[in-house]
Amino acid sequence: LQAKSPNDLTRATAFLHREYEQTWYWWEAVELARKLVLTGFVLLIPEKNAFLRLMVATLVCSCYGFMLAAVRPYKRVEDNVLAVATSLVLLLLFLGTNWSTIFLGIKERYQGVDPADVLGFRSLNVIVDSMIGLVAVVLVFFSIGAIVAARRVAKIPTIRLVSTKQPPELNIVIGLTWHLFNSHIWSTGQDAVAVIKGELQQLLPGIKVFLDVDDLKDIGALEEYIQRSQVILFFLSRGYFRSKNCLREIRSSLEIDKPLVLVQEADPDKGGGTIQALRAECPEDLQPDIFDKDWPFTIWYRIDEFQLISLKIIAEALLLCSPNYLSQTSLPLCVPGEPESQSLAFSKTTLWASPANAGALE
């Protein structure tokens, strides 16, 4: 789990850890231990020491609540907020029970002593009503906080699954280092692949993308870097297939059957060209394995809205090669705020048709 490389055991026990951050995958055991202490172990304390039971339960709830607030083990912000809220509510209930027990004890054992002089409450009903009111206030306050937090998180432009509206689980095969390897030629692809890496790191937090300027230590170890990457991105631009090192990366990827994603630079001013022209540059023995197979393919755009589509295609390709999604053939993705996720509505619509454009009126 810590290596983000699931196996049969982690998949079978996913119901125990899927809601938690990778670092805190074991938190369910802590939660179960807390419940066991509150519902079982405290009963080992003799009944004559009932107040001690309440004190132990109050201490356990206090410590657990502080731990929850400090570590925030859940993946979803709203889950963390609600977990702290429920823990605080339980703590308040135990505190109310403590005060009620003390109130009754004073009243029964010390005749002539007014419990209000000690606790400040005139009657038991006042204690109960105060606790109920305080619990209600806490629940309302934290519920509003959870809603606000959830709405804020929902607006963060990160890639999410269309089916759940939640971020996908980004995993990697055991023994690999990078989710994606950017194969490109410096002269016509360096700026674009740098943008691809930066944007993917924002859209898919935790992704590891190999980029030569950041990760290359030894030019003689290109084949090793390919071996340690899960998916290989070929950035197709002018001169890419004429580069000796790019051809090393290509041949190494094909020899070990690495999954590919093809990204075409189409802007001639940026070193791009048509797919036919780029194919013509490619050695004939490599063309079928690159261009004739059904690899994920996209054109690289520089307009934000279109660029996001390209990034989603790349993200889907690498997610489908991760252990958690190997059994799926497609993985629809969305990004909060993108045009596709917004419904179009017009209060008043005016359509203009040019008489010079045959068929426009129809």
Side-chain angles (χ1 to χ4, degrees):
L1 284 171
Q2 289 180 324
K4 296 184 178 181
S5 302
N7 52 32
D8 291 340
L9 178 60
T10 60
R11 293 189 188 97
T13 58
F15 67 97
L16 293 174
H17 55 74
R18 68 160 63 97
E19 301 299 329
Y20 300 102
E21 297 284 1
Q22 295 288 349
T23 306
W24 306 103
Y25 68 91
W26 44 266
W27 191 263
E28 186 66 20
V30 178
E31 172 68 13
L32 292 175
R34 178 188 70 94
K35 294 177 180 178
L36 189 59
V37 169
L38 293 179
T39 60
F41 288 154
V42 293
L43 298 179
L44 298 177
I45 300 174
E47 189 175 355
K48 63 181 181 179
N49 297 324
F51 187 70
L52 180 58
R53 291 180 178 180
L54 289 174
M55 291 300 297
V56 171
T58 303
L59 182 61
V60 169
C61 286
S62 301
C63 294
Y64 185 77
F66 282 119
M67 289 171 62
L68 269 177
V71 304
R72 290 170 290 182
Y74 293 94
K75 291 180 179 179
R76 298 170 58 180
V77 176
E78 57 268 34
D79 288 343
N80 284 314
V81 174
L82 291 176
V84 172
T86 54
S87 181
L88 181 56
V89 166
L90 189 59
L91 175 60
L92 290 174
L93 291 175
F94 278 122
L95 288 175
T97 306
N98 288 335
W99 290 336
S100 299
T101 303
I102 294 173
F103 185 94
L104 292 174
I106 293 174
K107 193 172 182 179
E108 293 174 0
R109 297 183 184 183
Y110 302 96
Q111 300 297 328
V113 177
D114 188 358
D117 296 336
V118 180
L119 298 177
F121 295 101
R122 295 189 306 274
S123 67
L124 189 61
N125 288 338
V126 175
I127 296 178
V128 174
D129 292 342
S130 299
M131 286 300 102
I132 292 176
L134 191 56
V135 166
V137 170
V138 169
L139 286 176
V140 171
F141 177 78
F142 276 91
S143 296
I144 293 173
I147 293 172
V148 172
R151 294 187 65 178
R152 285 184 177 178
V153 170
K155 293 180 181 179
I156 297 176
T158 55
I159 284 179
R160 302 168 188 270
L161 300 176
V162 171
S163 57
T164 63
K165 303 302 180 186
Q166 295 299 317
E169 293 188 24
L170 193 60
N171 302 108
I172 195 168
V173 175
I174 296 176
L176 301 185
T177 305
W178 297 280
H179 297 94
L180 185 69
F181 182 101
N182 275 331
S183 176
H184 66 286
I185 185 170
W186 266 60
S187 59
T188 57
Q190 182 63 28
D191 62 332
V193 293
V195 172
I196 290 174
K197 177 176 180 177
E199 291 295 322
L200 285 176
Q201 287 176 329
Q202 294 185 44
L203 293 169
L204 284 173
I207 189 174
K208 296 180 180 179
V209 181
F210 182 97
L211 186 61
D212 51 8
V213 294
D214 299 326
D215 305 290
L216 182 65
K217 307 300 181 185
D218 180 8
I219 191 65
L222 281 177
E223 290 77 8
E224 180 185 343
Y225 295 134
I226 293 290
Q227 178 71 46
R228 292 164 55 193
S229 301
Q230 191 157 262
V231 178
I232 313 300
L233 182 149
F234 290 175
F235 191 80
L236 309 180
S237 60
R238 189 169 57 245
Y240 175 69
F241 292 108
R242 293 196 291 266
S243 167
K244 178 181 177 181
N245 289 326
C246 290
L247 287 175
R248 285 175 58 195
E249 296 167 356
I250 294 170
R251 294 187 184 279
S252 177
S253 301
L254 296 176
E255 286 172 3
I256 56 180
D257 295 322
K258 285 289 183 179
L260 307 180
V261 56
L262 308 180
V263 181
Q264 176 196 354
E265 174 61 82
D267 186 350
D269 294 333
K270 301 291 185 179
T274 64
I275 196 67
Q276 293 79 11
L278 294 171
R279 176 169 182 148
E281 288 187 3
C282 179
E284 291 187 4
D285 61 312
L286 299 177
Q287 290 181 13
D289 289 329
I290 298 175
F291 294 98
D292 295 339
K293 292 191 175 180
D294 194 22
W295 298 118
F297 172 83
T298 184
I299 297 175
W300 181 245
Y301 297 101
R302 287 174 173 78
I303 300 174
D304 290 344
E305 289 76 12
F306 297 114
Q307 187 178 99
L308 183 58
I309 296 175
S310 298
L311 291 167
K312 284 166 58 180
I313 292 173
I314 297 170
E316 181 181 9
L318 67 90
L319 285 171
L320 286 172
C321 294
S322 65
N324 275 357
Y325 304 105
L326 283 176
S327 61
Q328 301 189 35
T329 56
S330 65
L331 199 65
L333 305 174
C334 64
V335 176
E338 66 178 335
E340 290 183 27
S341 65
Q342 301 176 12
S343 57
L344 298 177
F346 303 96
S347 57
K348 183 179 179 180
T349 304
T350 301
L351 296 178
W352 294 84
S354 170
N357 185 355
L361 289 176
E362 288 77 11

